[in-house]
Amino acid sequence: MIPFSILDLAPITEGSDATQAFRNTVDLARHAEALGYERYWLAEHHNMPGIASAATSVLIGHVAASTSTIRVGAGGIMLPNHSPLQVAEQFGTLAALHPDRIDLGLGRAPGTDHATARALRRYFDQADAFPDDVLELLAYFEPAAPGQSVRAVPGAGLAVPVWLLGSSLFSARLAARLGLPFAFASHFAPDAMDEALAVYRRDFRPSKHLDKPYAMLGMNVVAADTDAAARRLFTTQQQSFIKLRRGMPGLIPPPIDDIESFCTPQELHGLERTLACAAVGAPATVREHIAAFIDRHAPDELILVANIFDHAARKHSYAIAAEVRNELAET
């Protein structure tokens, strides 16, 4: 069976705060480690009241120090917001502290709104330099050469797996050209998934990083003891996306009984398209949807997202997903 991993945004729920969000993140990471998940990734977002993972590398270090075997990494670092040298130093530090456990996923979006992107970057057009920045970053992880004027300390010569993340064909083509693993954001942008996978697999060039394509797909998985209970839990994520589309991001809301009463038919249609890659339901329902998704797209790995208001229910959802993985491995 292919590995299952977790993508976490350190959600701040209504009535809570960032301190509790970080406690929940550590608790969930330990839970995931015990359940046999492959990796635990955190994503860089800014100016989002309900997301506490803005200082991503700091939080990765905290999670890695609180666990012992699970891989911990960025899904991802938005490279246009940073200099390649700074990222190499940060993840070189993490890799030196936690050998063979740190992943670095790179994205080219700002991970925020237009105004905040300008506040983050010295040069707002830096996203256009993304391919060159990736190459510069990869070079900093190479062993330092004699006379090299700029090096990452720590970072040079350390094995930090670099992934490219994307929701379009751009990163799929770049990952293929550079021979890097590729993670597609199908959990919120599924439209180009099939074409991006085909391009990545067709155009992949073996490299010293990877000898064959390795694609990880995002999937929303919200599991509970009954289909009705899971659908209700899923309304938290649905509300969050609708509020974001309305330009009103906020703290993560509690679930509601009827999502249709919260939004217009047009918003619901857009939501169903955005969150189409989902398995929501009781264990049997989730197993059916995950198995069908794997059969259709043949990912090398799945990374699961469960933006659930109640922390205990979120842990239970990931436990059910792990049971599904084990059952599928036996078939």
Side-chain angles (χ1 to χ4, degrees):
M1 186 58 192
I2 65 172
F4 282 17
S5 295
I6 291 177
L7 177 63
D8 182 21
L9 306 182
I12 307 175
T13 57
E14 291 183 10
S16 187
D17 56 22
T19 298
Q20 186 60 51
F22 295 144
R23 292 193 187 107
N24 290 345
T25 283
V26 167
D27 186 52
L28 181 59
R30 289 170 173 164
H31 184 60
E33 184 172 75
L35 292 170
Y37 280 90
E38 179 73 11
R39 62 191 90 240
Y40 195 96
W41 278 8
L42 295 139
E44 177 185 349
H45 291 274
H46 300 277
N47 199 30
M48 300 286 287
I51 297 176
S53 54
T56 317
S57 60
V58 176
L59 189 53
I60 288 169
H62 181 57
V63 172
S66 303
T67 53
S68 57
T69 58
I70 194 169
R71 298 193 66 86
V72 186
I77 291 294
M78 301 299 106
L79 191 53
N81 297 340
H82 313 274
S83 77
L85 176 60
Q86 289 174 318
V87 176
E89 290 171 340
Q90 290 169 7
F91 279 80
T93 299
L94 289 168
L97 289 168
H98 310 284
D100 300 320
R101 291 185 57 212
I102 300 299
D103 297 326
L104 172 54
L106 301 173
R108 70 185 184 105
T112 188
D113 58 87
H114 191 79
T116 309
R118 286 190 177 275
L120 283 164
R121 308 179 197 173
R122 291 184 62 193
Y123 304 104
F124 186 64
D125 60 353
Q126 196 64 26
D128 295 336
F130 181 71
D132 292 335
D133 284 350
V134 172
L135 289 172
E136 181 181 344
L137 176 54
L138 290 171
Y140 285 130
F141 287 130
E142 295 293 323
Q148 183 175 327
S149 58
V150 179
R151 63 184 68 185
V153 183
L158 293 180
V160 180
V162 174
W163 297 62
L164 292 191
L165 318 181
S167 58
S168 68
L169 302 186
F170 183 94
S171 290
R173 293 191 180 103
L174 184 60
R177 178 164 64 86
L178 298 180
L180 296 174
F182 177 55
F184 191 84
S186 38
H187 58 292
F188 71 86
D191 288 352
M193 173 176 57
D194 290 329
E195 188 175 2
L197 280 176
V199 166
Y200 172 64
R201 289 165 172 162
R202 182 195 68 208
D203 296 344
F204 183 85
R205 301 176 185 176
S207 70
K208 61 183 177 183
H209 308 288
L210 201 61
D211 60 356
K212 62 182 180 180
Y214 193 95
M216 178 162 62
L217 299 180
M219 189 175 190
N220 301 291
V221 177
V222 175
D225 294 333
T226 67
D227 286 348
R231 286 194 298 268
R232 188 175 188 278
L233 293 176
F234 193 47
T235 62
T236 287
Q237 189 165 343
Q238 292 172 314
Q239 291 176 80
S240 295
F241 266 92
I242 290 170
K243 288 181 178 180
L244 185 61
R245 293 284 175 86
R246 292 173 178 173
M248 302 169 56
L251 301 179
I252 304 303
I256 56 178
D257 292 330
D258 180 16
I259 191 63
E260 294 183 8
S261 66
F262 180 80
C263 59
T264 67
Q266 292 79 11
E267 287 175 325
L268 185 60
H269 176 73
L271 189 67
E272 290 171 346
R273 182 170 178 173
T274 297
L275 302 179
C277 295
V280 179
T285 303
V286 168
R287 181 169 60 249
E288 177 184 351
H289 284 289
I290 289 179
F293 187 82
I294 292 172
D295 286 344
R296 177 179 176 184
H297 303 292
D300 298 290
E301 187 170 334
L302 284 182
I303 188 161
L304 311 187
V305 179
N307 197 4
I308 296 172
F309 180 82
D310 180 76
H311 182 60
R314 193 173 185 222
K315 290 176 65 177
H316 184 50
S317 177
Y318 279 117
I320 292 173
E323 292 173 4
V324 166
R325 176 203 61 206
N326 295 339
E327 290 170 4
L328 291 175
E330 295 172 357
T331 60

